Amino acid sequence: MNNLRNFCIIAHIDHGKSTLADRLLEVTKTVTGKDMQEQVLDNMDLERERGITIKSHAIQMNYRKNGEDFILNLIDTPGHVDFSYEVSRAIAACEGALLVVDATQGIQAQSISVLYQAMDHNLEIIPVLNKMDLPAAMPEEVTEQIIELVGCKREDIIQASGKTGFGVDQILERIVEKIPAPSGDPTSPLQALIFDSLFNSYRGVLAYFKIMNGEIRKGDHVKFFNTGKEYEADEIGVLRLGLYPRESLSTGDVGYIISGIKASKEVKVGDTITHVDRPCKEAISGFELVKPMVFAGLYPIDTEDYEDLRDALEKLVLNDASLTYEPESSAALGFGFRCGFLGLLHMEIVQERLDREFDMSVISTVPNVFYHVYGRKGERIDVYNPSGLPDPTEIDRIEEPYIKAQIITMPDYIGAIMKLCLDKRGELKSQVYLTQDRVELSFELPLAEIVFDFYDKLKSISRGYASFDYFQTEFKPGKLVKLDIMLNGESVDALSTLIHVDNAYRFGRRMCEKLRELIPRQQFDIAIQAAIGAKIIARETIKAYRKDVTAKCYGGDITRKRKLLEKQKKGKKKMKQIGNVEVPQSAFLAVLKLD
């Protein structure tokens, strides 16, 4: 146990975390020859292209120092805010962390929020200044930022380059010297933390764990604490580039367990593994069920592909347990699924994976969040879809989720960012200057306001210099109303939204104008209305095609013309009663892109 070191890497997106991990694997000769490629641990094409880690990985390295052999377990973590729960579990499984900061960009929001989590778990922090080989590197300024943030000495910061391998030996030495060996009791009952899971189509679910106390042997009868399910440990082992089986694993070890679990829903990240006959007294703290934050409907472009979409989602859920879905139907789009995502990036990745891995092109409805709706008698309903909202007369109040947002930017862009956040019903909580040219703004915002286009706008007004991180805080009552879009008095469910009273008129007005441009003309007038309950707040009319029925009347009495016009009017009225309005696909897509 004294020669074990478990550590993770904390970094913002694109600060060179995966490249630095490659060098560590190369120097310790864990990966050699033809196995060595860029971003070894990112095994999804999507991860390589976007330069982000979506699924966390773990890998074991051997390192020799002064004639002594050490085992280093690197528990890789995803970089994006959407996957913050997985990051928190990976941190709980470590004793130390490398804080990797890009020498050309300085500290950014996500690094700070994850760093605070690591400090709460009393991890030993080793600061690393990466990308020192670039001409744009600013070592002095970024070093000052790190010293202010971490409170370390200047000589504690290692200058390195993941690309060239400069400083990697020093990092490995520092890991062995600084990071403490795991503390735990090998003789007490088994207590192991699950920090990730993976689905293998031949062997079922692989759970990755770190043993906090006790030991586990092949063939042991184990149970998962929070789900209460019992299994046989068919195979246990350690993680290198592949799976290496072992007969037993003890306190401090990081490994995997295969026990023939068929459904990934049975393995929850953050759960505790223990023995059935000698269980531990309590589970490892910090476990929570991952809750989706953003909901959207996914519909196949061709309605015949509904069953194929169901199969694709079933397979995707096996490798992504945080995705939820349930069937729903819409009068406009046919049959589809209401899916729950961790955030907008997660939603984008799911759509991209459906397209690449299963060749499924889908249409998504406007993303929305879920609300707590309280009735007159005090009962609470969770509403995930505007169409599930009870009758307004039965509603006492609606509560919406709020988030705390941290934005780090340059002082030049403070005004524009404040205006953006205040327009989104935000409230400024604090403004702290980290250094002379970096300021941290904390806002409280409704989650519904940021799921749509907030991130894009933030990046464009700050010219890419603002970094953004958020976490959910609580639910607060809000003046929310259901805005319905009606065509000839018929409500179109796929276009209805829950929206704040102050924004309802403007949004309804724009919706009606957009639909007027996109819905084709018919033989009768089409009324497009935006309504809140029974009150119409905006209207546009698409005029009918008209035939000039009086053309054949030349001269003669006016009553002849009037008779023909009355006859036409009756015909139009009858048509309107029978006729249906077809809403083209382009209209839905355009509404999603409403600025």
Side-chain angles (χ1 to χ4, degrees), residues 262-278:
K262 295 285 182 287
S264 64
K265 288 270 185 290
E266 292 179 25
V267 180
K268 306 274 188 226
V269 171
D271 206 345
T272 306
I273 305 174
T274 188
H275 282 130
V276 173
D277 49 3
R278 191 177 164 223

Side-chain angles (χ1 to χ4, degrees), residues 99-118:
L99 171 66
V100 177
V101 180
D102 186 336
T104 62
Q105 294 184 48
I107 284 176
Q108 296 193 304
Q110 271 152 249
S111 308
I112 291 184
S113 63
V114 179
L115 179 67
Y116 288 155
Q117 280 185 15

Side-chain angles (χ1 to χ4, degrees), residues 85 87-96 114-125 180 193 212 284-287:
Y85 176 64
V87 176
S88 79
R89 294 302 80 208
I91 285 174
C94 294
E95 282 82 37
V114 179
L115 179 67
Y116 288 155
Q117 280 185 15
M119 286 173 162
D120 288 345
H121 282 87
N122 296 323
L123 264 61
E124 180 67 42
I125 309 291
L193 170 73
M212 299 297 193
I284 296 159
S285 63
F287 172 75

Side-chain angles (χ1 to χ4, degrees), residues 362-593:
V362 291
I363 287 171
S364 75
T365 61
V366 183
N368 63 335
V369 299
F370 79 101
Y371 300 89
H372 291 335
V373 179
Y374 289 88
R376 297 267 183 222
K377 295 171 187 166
E379 75 281 8
R380 191 183 98 184
I381 308 164
D382 288 351
V383 173
Y384 301 95
N385 193 348
S387 58
L389 202 67
D391 192 78
T393 54
E394 295 168 15
I395 296 172
D396 178 42
R397 68 183 190 279
I398 302 176
E399 292 187 352
E400 58 178 337
Y402 269 71
I403 57 153
K404 186 176 180 199
Q406 288 172 306
I407 299 169
I408 295 182
T409 183
M410 291 179 163
D412 311 3
Y413 308 114
I414 291 177
I417 289 171
M418 278 193 176
K419 184 180 183 305
L420 171 70
C421 293
L422 295 172
D423 287 350
K424 297 280 186 187
R425 299 192 281 133
E427 189 183 324
L428 181 66
K429 289 294 179 190
S430 69
Q431 179 176 337
V432 182
Y433 277 83
L434 300 171
T435 59
Q436 283 183 334
D437 59 350
R438 290 179 88 70
V439 61
E440 180 184 23
L441 303 170
S442 291
F443 280 93
E444 196 169 58
L445 287 150
L447 179 63
E449 296 285 347
I450 71 155
V451 298
F452 206 34
D453 55 358
F454 179 81
Y455 195 58
D456 296 345
K457 283 186 175 169
L458 179 69
K459 282 291 181 194
S460 59
I461 61 176
S462 68
R463 303 203 182 136
Y465 277 110
S467 62
F468 170 66
D469 188 41
Y470 70 88
F471 55 89
Q472 194 183 345
T473 50
E474 58 187 333
F475 279 78
K476 289 186 177 181
K479 286 186 179 175
L480 299 164
V481 289
K482 184 184 174 195
L483 180 71
D484 285 313
I485 300 295
M486 290 152 64
L487 298 180
N488 279 346
E490 292 282 321
S491 176
V492 182
D493 59 348
L495 295 178
S496 62
T497 49
L498 263 176
I499 194 164
H500 194 264
V501 170
D502 298 348
N503 304 337
Y505 174 74
R506 196 171 66 242
F507 189 74
R509 168 96 267 144
R510 286 203 334 252
M511 281 276 240
C512 291
E513 286 167 2
K514 197 80 177 170
L515 287 170
R516 194 185 77 179
E517 293 167 20
L518 294 164
I519 294 175
R521 285 172 74 185
Q522 306 285 342
Q523 296 286 354
F524 50 90
D525 283 3
I526 302 171
I528 303 169
Q529 294 165 314
I532 297 171
K535 185 182 176 189
I536 305 294
I537 58 167
R539 174 184 168 128
E540 294 286 334
T541 308
I542 300 173
K543 286 291 176 194
Y545 286 122
R546 301 279 309 237
K547 183 182 172 189
D548 188 1
V549 286
T550 60
K552 61 187 180 190
C553 297
Y554 45 92
D557 193 4
I558 186 68
T559 52
R560 286 182 66 199
K561 287 186 179 178
R562 196 166 287 150
K563 186 176 158 191
L564 287 169
L565 287 169
E566 284 297 323
K567 193 176 172 186
Q568 186 190 33
K569 198 171 167 186
K570 274 184 190 167
K572 294 275 182 202
K573 194 174 176 184
K574 194 173 178 184
M575 260 188 203
K576 191 173 181 178
Q577 285 170 351
I578 303 165
N580 279 331
V581 184
E582 282 286 317
V583 184
Q585 208 68 67
S586 60
F588 288 104
L589 295 174
V591 167
L592 294 185
K593 292 188 176 76

Side-chain angles (χ1 to χ4, degrees), residues 177-192:
E177 288 165 16
K178 285 275 193 178
I179 295 176
S183 59
D185 182 2
T187 57
S188 60
L190 173 67
Q191 197 184 29

